[in-house]
Amino acid sequence: MKIVVPISIDDAALLSTNVSETLYPPYDAGYVFAKGDRVSVIGPDLHQVYESLVDSNVGNAPATSPTKWIYVSVTNPWLMFDGSVTSQTENADSIDVSIQTHGRNPCLTLLNLSAAEARVQMIDDLDGTVYDKTHSLVSDSGIDNWYSYFFEPVVRLQDLTVLDMPAYASPIVIVTLNAPGEQVRCGALLLGPFTDVGDTEYGATVGIQDFSVKQPDDFGNYFIVQRAFRKRAAFTVLIDDVRVDTLEQLLASLRATPAIYIGSDLYASTAVYGFFKDFTIEIAYAKESVCTLEIEGLT
């Protein structure tokens, strides 16, 4: 199992993006907004969308007028950095971002994706391009015969974790998501260093908690409203005894900090971005201990 603590992405870190912030017009204090109109409020490390709650809304600054405006979200380019997996940055054909990292961050995780491929590049000031790989997002899971290969629908990966980037100090990382002719979407882009905790045992569990509404009426007909969901997982991990104190301190420090918990490199479904609900370290053997974790993902 690996634990990744993502770095924060701010204006200084996001060098460029091809996703426009002009989906909604910028707020203008002299313009009369109708109920339901949306505006963007953009400034240094400020990228927000508000919706008008009333008609004839003029001269009321969104951030200081809670009875006139309601906060909706960050702007489209920043949805992939807002700490939520459900909200997605989207753009026609491609999403292309360039990020200036600080420190060594050899792990990239992309969550809630809708794209055909992901190209990842790492550029160092001195050595130039030190990593350039295109990852297909077409999933081969469940394809175990020729009929499935030729006739079953193409399924794409919704999550991707890249762990083989070199550990250069403060490189530029460029991520390009492509799907020509389609809307490309990304729920979360996370970069950071990882800690290799130990070997996840068989018996790990993964699943989701759904917040959708499915309410039957008196005749058995369902009223359905699709809402967000979050991933859940439980892992049992064998760790070396020399790592017990370090792991206990690391997990304690992450009690209120979202991180990426990767149960196994073999299964994308075991990568969960969120918090641990509970953890226990049992010093079971002379040279090995057992750590059990319950993880609750962010929506």
Side-chain angles (χ1 to χ4, degrees), residues 73-94:
S73 68
V74 294
T75 57
N76 190 21
W78 292 89
L79 288 170
M80 62 201 306
F81 306 116
D82 68 348
S84 169
V85 178
T86 303
S87 60
Q88 294 173 299
T89 295
E90 64 176 87
N91 196 48
D93 300 321
S94 70

Side-chain angles (χ1 to χ4, degrees), residues 1 4 21 58 62 70 86-87 93 95 105 187 197 214 244 269:
M1 188 184 78
V4 185
E21 281 194 296
V58 58
I70 186 171
T86 303
S87 60
D93 300 321
I95 294 175
N105 302 285
V197 174
K214 292 157 279 189
V244 169
S269 57

Side-chain angles (χ1 to χ4, degrees), residues 116-137:
E117 63 179 22
R119 181 184 181 188
V120 182
Q121 302 171 76
M122 178 181 283
I123 301 173
D124 179 67
D125 286 342
L126 296 178
D127 293 343
T129 301
V130 294
Y131 184 92
D132 188 348
K133 185 178 292 187
T134 298
H135 302 265
S136 173
L137 296 177

Side-chain angles (χ1 to χ4, degrees), residues 139-155:
S139 174
D140 60 1
S141 178
I143 305 299
D144 56 3
N145 58 72
W146 286 113
Y147 182 90
S148 297
Y149 180 86
F150 283 108
F151 298 111
E152 288 193 359
V154 175
V155 176

Side-chain angles (χ1 to χ4, degrees), residues 6-270:
I7 63 173
S8 60
I9 306 297
D10 56 15
D11 283 357
L14 185 60
L15 300 180
S16 66
T17 176
N18 69 334
V19 182
S20 173
E21 281 194 296
T22 60
L23 181 61
Y24 302 107
Y27 171 72
D28 183 345
Y31 187 82
V32 180
F33 295 97
K35 183 178 180 179
D37 285 349
R38 291 189 175 186
V39 298
S40 57
V41 178
I42 300 171
D45 285 321
L46 183 65
H47 308 270
Q48 298 177 334
V49 175
Y50 287 85
E51 182 175 310
S52 178
L53 295 173
V54 297
D55 287 319
S56 302
N57 192 354
V58 58
N60 302 301
T64 56
S65 305
T67 61
K68 306 291 185 181
W69 296 92
I70 186 171
Y71 172 76
V72 177
S73 68
V74 294
T75 57
N76 190 21
W78 292 89
L79 288 170
M80 62 201 306
F81 306 116
D82 68 348
S84 169
V85 178
T86 303
S87 60
Q88 294 173 299
T89 295
E90 64 176 87
N91 196 48
D93 300 321
S94 70
I95 294 175
D96 192 327
V97 295
S98 178
I99 299 169
Q100 175 64 67
T101 66
H102 298 282
R104 290 176 170 82
N105 302 285
C107 178
L108 167 71
T109 300
L110 302 168
L111 300 174
N112 197 12
L113 288 171
S114 179
E117 63 179 22
R119 181 184 181 188
V120 182
Q121 302 171 76
M122 178 181 283
I123 301 173
D124 179 67
D125 286 342
L126 296 178
D127 293 343
T129 301
V130 294
Y131 184 92
D132 188 348
K133 185 178 292 187
T134 298
H135 302 265
S136 173
L137 296 177
V138 176
S139 174
D140 60 1
S141 178
I143 305 299
D144 56 3
N145 58 72
W146 286 113
Y147 182 90
S148 297
Y149 180 86
F150 283 108
F151 298 111
E152 288 193 359
V154 175
V155 176
R156 290 177 179 172
L157 297 173
Q158 293 183 322
D159 302 328
L160 175 68
T161 298
V162 179
L163 293 164
D164 61 345
M165 294 189 296
Y168 274 74
S170 304
I172 293 173
V173 175
I174 301 172
V175 179
T176 305
L177 305 175
N178 289 310
E182 302 178 23
Q183 285 292 113
V184 178
R185 299 179 178 89
C186 180
L189 188 158
L190 307 163
L191 279 163
F194 67 83
T195 299
D196 200 339
V197 174
D199 296 325
T200 302
E201 292 190 308
Y202 284 101
T205 62
V206 295
I208 68 166
Q209 181 179 1
D210 186 20
F211 296 98
S212 299
V213 175
K214 292 157 279 189
Q215 184 67 42
D217 62 19
D218 293 339
F219 300 96
N221 302 307
Y222 272 85
F223 172 76
I224 300 174
V225 178
Q226 182 172 303
R227 293 180 177 172
F229 70 91
R230 66 182 176 193
K231 297 175 71 174
R232 297 185 300 179
F235 304 128
T236 300
V237 185
L238 287 177
I239 60 174
D240 292 337
D241 275 354
V242 294
R243 288 181 170 267
V244 169
D245 291 343
T246 299
L247 178 60
E248 191 274 338
Q249 292 174 11
L250 172 62
L251 291 173
S253 71
L254 295 176
R255 62 191 181 278
T257 302
I260 308 162
Y261 297 85
I262 305 170
S264 171
D265 301 349
L266 299 176
Y267 301 97
S269 57
T270 66

